């Protein structure tokens, strides 16, 4: 099969999976023809990409109390905001990698990822606008989305 045809079939299969039109058990052929490939396992991806990016959002409106007193972690400089923009952009784009066919676990997977993508995109837009209130609201939603997904898949 010519490379163009394989690419076309891979894209069609990926779209079908992303839209929930076919199940992961039907996706074996899609995985074989998909032009997208997971380079690390899901746990590594979560640990090194998703969790650090989400932590940027959670940390942006946190207050830490330690032996030296209270520390407001909200952004105060353009450099602080740039770190938040980077983290939110990373999280938003990383959601695409969660939908690589070989990572899709079941029919519930992509709806969780789509909710995560929507929240990450809102956080990114808010970071671009330096809108800490909106980031705080997204932070709460993000926490709920992650917790629900982790409960569903038995991940602590």
């Amino acid at each position: 099969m010519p490379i163009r045809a394989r690419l076309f079939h891979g894209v069609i299969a990926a779209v079908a999976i992303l839209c929930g039109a076919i199940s992961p058990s039907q996706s074996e052929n899609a995985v074989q023809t998909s032009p997208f490939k997971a380079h690390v396992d899901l746990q590594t991806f979560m640990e090194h990409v998703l969790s650090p990016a989400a932590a940027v959002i959670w940390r942006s409106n946190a207050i830490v109390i330690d032996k030296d007193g209270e520390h407001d972690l909200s952004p105060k400089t353009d450099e602080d905001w740039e770190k938040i923009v980077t983290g939110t952009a990373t999280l938003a784009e990383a959601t695409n990698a969660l939908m690589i066919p070989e990572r899709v676990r079941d029919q519930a997977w992509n709806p969780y990822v789509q909710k995560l993508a929507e929240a990450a995109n809102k956080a990114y837009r808010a970071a671009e606008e330096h809108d800490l209130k909106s980031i705080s609201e997204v932070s709460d939603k993000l926490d709920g989305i992650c917790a629900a997904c982790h409960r569903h898949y038995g991940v602590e």
Side-chain angles (χ1 to χ4, degrees):
M1 181 184 297
I3 196 160
R4 260 184 154 168
R6 284 190 302 225
L7 179 60
F8 176 77
H9 286 109
V11 169
I12 295 299
V15 169
I17 292 169
L18 296 178
C19 294
I22 63 174
S23 70
S25 63
Q26 297 167 314
S27 69
E28 184 177 321
N29 187 43
V31 171
Q32 293 171 358
T33 61
S34 174
F36 308 106
K37 179 181 180 197
H39 295 282
V40 298
D41 63 53
L42 186 57
Q43 182 175 349
T44 301
F45 184 74
M46 289 281 191
E47 184 178 330
H48 294 285
V49 179
L50 288 181
S51 291
V56 168
I57 297 168
W58 289 320
R59 207 173 27 245
S60 70
N61 63 348
I63 295 175
V64 175
I65 301 172
D66 62 17
K67 64 180 171 122
D68 297 325
E70 190 173 286
H71 309 280
D72 179 3
L73 301 182
S74 64
K76 293 163 188 60
T77 65
D78 286 342
E79 184 179 329
D80 292 343
W81 277 108
E82 189 57 31
K83 288 177 185 175
I84 296 169
V85 169
T86 298
T88 57
T90 299
L91 185 62
E93 289 298 330
T95 60
N96 290 306
L98 284 173
M99 293 187 283
I100 293 172
E102 65 192 88
R103 286 201 173 119
V104 175
R105 294 190 167 190
D106 61 21
Q107 295 254 342
W109 185 259
N110 285 336
Y112 281 119
V113 175
Q114 289 166 349
K115 287 177 187 174
L116 177 62
E118 289 169 11
N121 187 48
K122 285 179 185 174
Y124 169 72
R125 285 184 283 135
E128 283 281 305
E129 296 294 323
H130 295 195
D131 181 354
L132 190 59
K133 181 179 182 223
S134 292
I135 291 173
S136 178
E137 291 168 4
V138 171
S139 176
D140 292 341
K141 288 180 184 176
L142 185 65
D143 188 47
I145 293 164
C146 293
C149 185
H150 285 216
R151 274 191 309 274
H152 180 89
Y153 293 103
V155 178
E156 292 297 321

